[in-house]
């Protein structure tokens, strides 16, 4: 695994960007909680040359809204075959598997994770995912796992110190 080569970070939603809890109202509306530190990390990543994409099997009005807030342009909902969508995305962006990282947390992420050079899992992922992961975060999904890997990638690419320095001097408008 080489974080330095990563150009695309692909994320699952439930259990990665959220704590995997689904709040369902009486009218069937689903609510999810997203973690602000992950959001700022994604915003920073996108502004510093690290593409971020989302592939999820669920359909949700919340995901496009959140992606819009953060500037994620590539998000795919109701995907039955995550591996096929991942390969399409890699072809579209002309990326090799060594330039792609995928973070997943459950069995439906096993196949797409096996298709990339950098396999990532939050600490609270299922055992089968953690067993194939190149890196397991200290943070849980929905509680900083995404931010942790973004920092690791940008540190390996020698960008993180400059990013922090810019925030110290002037701050930067980023969405969380």
């Amino acid at each position: 695994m080489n974080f330095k080569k990563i150009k695309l970070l692909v994320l699952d939603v439930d259990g990665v960007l959220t704590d995997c809890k689904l709040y369902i109202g009486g009218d069937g509306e689903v609510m999810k909680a997203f973690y602000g530190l992950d959001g700022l990390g994604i915003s920073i990543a996108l502004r510093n040359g690290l593409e971020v994409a989302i592939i999820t099997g669920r359909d949700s009005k919340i995901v496009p809204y959140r992606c819009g807030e953060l500037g994620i342009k590539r998000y795919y909902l109701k995907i039955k075959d995550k591996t096929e969508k991942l390969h399409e995305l890699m072809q579209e962006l002309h990326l090799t598997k060594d330039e792609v990282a995928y973070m997943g947390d459950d069995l439906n992420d096993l196949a797409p994770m096996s298709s990339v050079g950098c396999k990532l899992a939050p600490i609270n992922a299922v055992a089968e995912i953690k067993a194939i992961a190149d890196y397991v975060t200290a943070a849980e999904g929905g509680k900083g796992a995404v931010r942790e890997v973004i920092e690791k990638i940008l540190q390996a690419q020698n960008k993180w110190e400059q990013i922090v320095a810019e925030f110290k001097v002037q701050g930067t408008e980023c969405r969380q």
Side-chain angles (χ1 to χ4, degrees):
M1 171 194 58
N2 186 349
F3 283 137
K4 191 171 186 172
K5 293 181 178 181
I6 301 301
K7 295 180 180 177
L8 171 65
L9 174 61
V10 181
L11 305 169
D12 180 32
V13 176
D14 297 320
V16 173
L17 281 170
T18 75
D19 63 5
C20 213
K21 293 178 184 172
L22 299 174
Y23 301 93
I24 303 173
D27 61 358
E29 181 177 344
V30 176
M31 294 182 288
K32 303 175 189 209
F34 294 93
Y35 198 60
L37 294 180
D38 289 339
L40 183 58
I42 290 169
S43 181
I44 289 168
L46 291 169
R47 286 195 348 238
N48 286 277
L50 177 60
E51 186 66 44
V52 178
I54 289 175
I55 301 176
T56 181
R58 293 184 62 90
D59 188 17
S60 170
K61 294 177 184 175
I62 300 164
V63 172
Y65 181 82
R66 185 65 174 148
C67 289
E69 283 187 324
L70 299 175
I72 299 171
K73 293 179 177 65
R74 292 179 172 85
Y75 57 89
Y76 309 94
L77 312 176
K78 289 179 64 174
I79 301 301
K80 299 280 187 235
D81 187 339
K82 289 183 174 187
T83 306
E84 181 180 330
K85 179 52 74 178
L86 175 61
H87 287 157
E88 288 172 10
L89 182 58
M90 290 167 62
Q91 286 178 344
E92 176 188 329
L93 298 174
H94 308 289
L95 297 175
T96 66
K97 70 183 238 172
D98 291 333
E99 296 171 311
V100 181
Y102 186 103
M103 181 180 267
D105 71 306
D106 210 343
L107 298 177
N108 59 339
D109 296 308
L110 281 169
M113 284 177 71
S114 298
S115 299
V116 300
C118 184
K119 301 160 191 64
L120 309 167
I123 189 73
N124 58 328
V126 298
E128 294 83 357
I129 292 291
K130 291 192 287 189
I132 68 164
D134 298 309
Y135 180 81
V136 177
T137 62
E140 292 183 3
K143 298 181 181 176
V146 172
R147 173 64 173 267
E148 183 178 328
V149 298
I150 287 171
E151 286 185 23
K152 293 277 186 200
I153 293 167
L154 294 174
Q155 286 167 351
Q157 296 175 355
N158 297 315
K159 296 178 180 179
W160 189 251
E161 285 184 31
Q162 181 62 35
I163 291 165
V164 173
E166 289 172 10
F167 274 92
K168 285 181 180 177
V169 172
Q170 62 192 9
T172 305
E173 186 175 329
C174 286
R175 297 185 183 252
Q176 289 183 289

